[in-house]
Amino acid sequence: MKVVVATVSSLDPQMEAADEPMSRHIFETPLSLDENGGVQTGLCTYKYSGDALTLTLTLRDGVKFHNGSPVKAEDVAASISRWANNVSFGKSYVGKYMDSISAADEKTVVIKFKSVAGLALTSLAYEYMGAYVMPKAVCEEYPSSPVINASKIIGTGPYKLVEWKQDSYVMTERFADYKATGNKCGGPAGNKYAYSDRIAFYFVKDMDAKANGVLSGEYDYVRNVDNSVYASLKGNSKIKFELIQDGTKPSLVFNKKQGPAANVKFRQAVLVSLDMDAIMKAAFGNPELYDLTGSWAPIGSMYEYSNALYNKPDLGKAKQLLKESGYNNEKVVFLTSQDVSYYYQTALMVANRMKEIGINVDLQVVDQATLYSIRNDPSKYDLFAVGFTAKADPAMMAFLGDSWPGFWISGQKNALMEKMAVTVDVAQKKELWHNMTDLIYREIPVITFGERRNCVLLSNKVNNARYAGSEPYYWNIWLSK
């Protein structure tokens, strides 16, 4: 199977920040997530002590690395330590709380925590820059830098690395000794069947080249194609599309530190003015490509929860709230970028609505890198366009941090975050997230317009191209002859 992806700088699954799936086929995490975001057995089973201060991970029988060596507890412990020392969310949700980690025997890893780490299990199961397991010797050779030697790309996954040609392609092939989990769930935690003998990942940038490549039979799978490709090729008998809910939320973020948007009534006025269906349709063109939801957690996840204030446009109420905010026609700088088309299209719609209720909007269009840089300086803007990708646990969403652009500093938020950080009970975690969602709709640090569907372009040979969660995978796909 031939998959189109973007270029990466390394195949180290812990260190590579590019959102590309090659290494996730080669390596595996200690635990894994099912289709609802629940934690399941990965390379290991798990068990907490009664006080939740000791986590015991037990390796499944018969798991081997691609070099034929059996995976041992010391490999798992070394990999988790490397991840918890280097990767941002590994530090925040595991490393910060970890007192010690050790291999009690060849199959058992014991992690002792200084205090309860409520997001530790989810973090150990998360796919993006997760705690992927590699040989202890590789961890020791690359303690804090990416593994750059292709011969050291040694995992346990259903595919092993054959060749990596920089800026051209990555070739993988089925690992004959792969040991499946036996989990009966779906999602990344489900059984992985390496139906394709080989999966080749080609680095291609140009959208026309990607689309034409599928039409000509050069490629089989392109994810996240432009809306224009969907509009122009839908119905073409040579190809097909799959629309996948991956939890991406087109959104805006207010500057809460200074300026008109620091006033909550100003932010409420903007929210009440917005027609979410009109915004999403302008951004994606076709209702097949989006869902209307006020949930900050992905549709279908166990944390999915909306609020009654979502998508209740009322221009009269918006004007009244704006008046109550004390707004006095100051210029309001709204940053966006055309590098991501939905950033630009949603910003255009929101800016027009803000003007309708009497806000003096200055819509500034910059390249994506500039936007990401400027948004760190609260003196330079009042709001900016963005998209939030799904997280394994919604408490990991970036805007919840005090220092993330937008700077949402809130006593109630911090109190909820502290509770979520030490809660391991799933029912309690859900209730806390519902409380957080309601708080977001009261304080409005951010606004989500809905949820995008990832538009995947496929050759007609591709079968079972669906995946669950935010991170794609191709191990359960097969090709017709």
Side-chain angles (χ1 to χ4, degrees):
M1 184 168 61
K2 293 165 284 189
V3 180
V4 171
V5 295
T7 306
V8 295
S9 58
S10 86
L11 293 178
D12 184 331
Q14 293 190 1
M15 301 284 191
E16 175 58 48
D19 181 25
E20 292 301 345
M22 293 87 77
S23 58
R24 291 195 285 273
H25 293 65
I26 299 170
F27 295 89
E28 296 179 293
T29 45
L31 304 175
S32 194
L33 295 173
D34 64 25
E35 67 271 43
N36 300 312
V39 176
Q40 305 289 344
T41 295
L43 282 176
C44 305
T45 60
Y46 71 93
K47 185 177 181 180
Y48 262 128
S49 61
D51 59 6
L53 292 177
T54 301
L55 175 63
T56 302
L57 303 173
T58 304
L59 269 165
R60 292 186 288 113
D61 292 331
V63 179
K64 294 181 180 178
F65 284 116
H66 295 159
N67 61 7
S69 301
V71 180
K72 297 180 179 178
E74 63 180 20
D75 301 308
V76 178
S79 300
I80 292 174
S81 294
R82 179 178 184 260
W83 167 77
N85 286 330
N86 292 289
V87 179
S88 177
F89 79 95
K91 294 178 189 175
S92 298
Y93 303 124
V94 175
K96 174 182 171 183
Y97 298 91
M98 196 160 66
D99 185 41
S100 66
I101 180 169
S102 60
D105 55 41
E106 289 204 341
K107 291 187 62 179
T108 309
V109 177
V110 178
I111 303 176
K112 293 187 179 296
F113 294 108
K114 292 175 280 190
S115 59
V116 174
L119 292 174
L121 284 184
T122 301
S123 301
L124 289 167
Y126 192 33
E127 303 95 1
Y128 178 69
M129 297 184 76
Y132 288 92
V133 174
M134 54 191 72
K136 180 184 176 185
V138 176
C139 296
E140 291 173 343
E141 186 174 351
Y142 297 92
S144 57
S145 60
V147 179
I148 54 174
N149 184 339
S151 70
K152 304 296 175 68
I153 300 297
I154 303 167
T156 61
Y159 286 89
K160 61 182 182 181
L161 180 65
V162 175
E163 183 182 14
W164 175 22
K165 189 170 183 180
Q166 290 274 4
D167 299 324
S168 184
Y169 65 84
V170 169
M171 180 65 74
T172 65
E173 70 178 11
R174 182 190 298 121
F175 176 40
D177 291 333
Y178 177 68
K179 184 81 172 178
T181 61
N183 291 336
K184 298 187 183 302
C185 60
N191 273 327
K192 300 170 185 176
Y193 300 101
Y195 289 128
S196 296
D197 297 335
R198 287 190 164 198
I199 301 179
F201 299 89
Y202 291 96
F203 304 133
V204 183
K205 292 182 179 178
D206 182 75
M207 185 57 69
D208 288 338
K210 295 177 185 178
N212 291 330
V214 177
L215 282 168
S216 68
E218 186 177 4
Y219 308 125
D220 296 307
Y221 191 117
V222 182
R223 71 183 176 109
N224 202 17
V225 298
D226 290 348
N227 312 333
S228 59
V229 173
Y230 184 67
S232 63
L233 293 183
K234 185 184 178 186
N236 188 313
S237 60
K238 295 181 180 178
I239 55 90
K240 57 186 177 182
F241 289 94
E242 193 75 57
L243 304 179
I244 296 177
Q245 290 174 318
D246 66 357
T248 300
K249 311 283 186 180
S251 307
L252 68 80
V253 177
F254 290 106
N255 176 4
K256 278 77 67 185
K257 211 163 197 173
Q258 63 189 75
N263 187 301
V264 69
K265 285 191 178 292
F266 179 96
R267 304 196 297 268
Q268 290 170 341
V270 176
L271 173 63
V272 171
S273 75
L274 300 180
D275 180 336
M276 304 306 188
D277 193 24
I279 293 170
M280 293 295 280
K281 191 169 185 180
F284 299 103
N286 187 327
E288 295 176 61
L289 300 178
Y290 64 87
D291 290 283
L292 293 178
T293 173
S295 173
W296 280 98
I299 292 173
S301 90
M302 63 181 181
Y303 293 105
E304 181 182 358
Y305 177 75
S306 188
N307 182 284
L309 293 177
Y310 170 76
N311 198 23
K312 294 289 190 301
D314 183 336
L315 290 183
K317 186 176 179 181
K319 290 176 181 176
Q320 180 60 37
L321 286 164
L322 187 65
K323 183 178 179 182
E324 292 173 11
S325 77
Y327 174 70
N328 193 29
N329 202 41
E330 300 96 327
K331 184 173 74 173
V332 172
V333 175
F334 189 171
L335 298 176
T336 190
S337 173
Q338 289 184 314
D339 291 349
V340 180
S341 62
Y342 73 77
Y343 285 16
Y344 181 65
Q345 295 298 338
T346 56
L348 279 180
M349 294 294 290
V350 173
N352 287 337
R353 207 63 162 181
M354 290 170 70
K355 289 174 183 173
E356 275 190 65
I357 63 172
I359 297 174
N360 178 17
V361 182
D362 177 14
L363 185 65
Q364 297 186 7
V365 183
V366 297
D367 62 70
Q368 189 175 6
T370 302
L371 191 160
Y372 286 178
S373 175
I374 294 177
R375 70 187 189 182
N376 292 302
D377 183 348
S379 69
K380 298 290 180 60
Y381 67 94
D382 295 289
L383 65 162
F384 63 86
V386 73
F388 289 104
T389 55
K391 302 300 179 191
D393 187 303
M396 296 175 174
M397 297 199 79
F399 68 80
L400 295 172
D402 286 358
S403 59
W404 200 79
F407 313 101
W408 185 27
I409 298 172
S410 161
Q412 290 186 58
K413 179 202 73 174
N414 289 342
L416 284 169
M417 291 291 284
E418 287 174 9
K419 289 180 181 176
M420 288 191 285
V422 298
T423 301
V424 295
D425 180 82
V426 172
Q428 290 179 15
K429 287 166 75 76
K430 286 182 186 176
E431 183 179 352
L432 288 169
W433 180 250
H434 293 177
N435 293 339
M436 180 66 84
T437 301
D438 291 339
L439 179 66
I440 291 169
Y441 276 89
R442 286 199 303 275
E443 298 194 357
I444 315 178
V446 290
I447 293 174
T448 177
F449 311 121
E451 186 169 309
R452 180 199 69 176
R453 291 186 181 181
N454 192 339
C455 186
V456 179
L457 174 60
L458 306 163
S459 75
N460 269 335
K461 296 186 298 181
V462 176
N463 298 281
N464 198 36
R466 300 199 67 79
Y467 63 86
S470 61
E471 309 299 329
Y473 46 84
Y474 313 121
W475 44 72
N476 287 352
I477 294 176
W478 66 90
L479 301 179
S480 302
K481 292 184 178 178

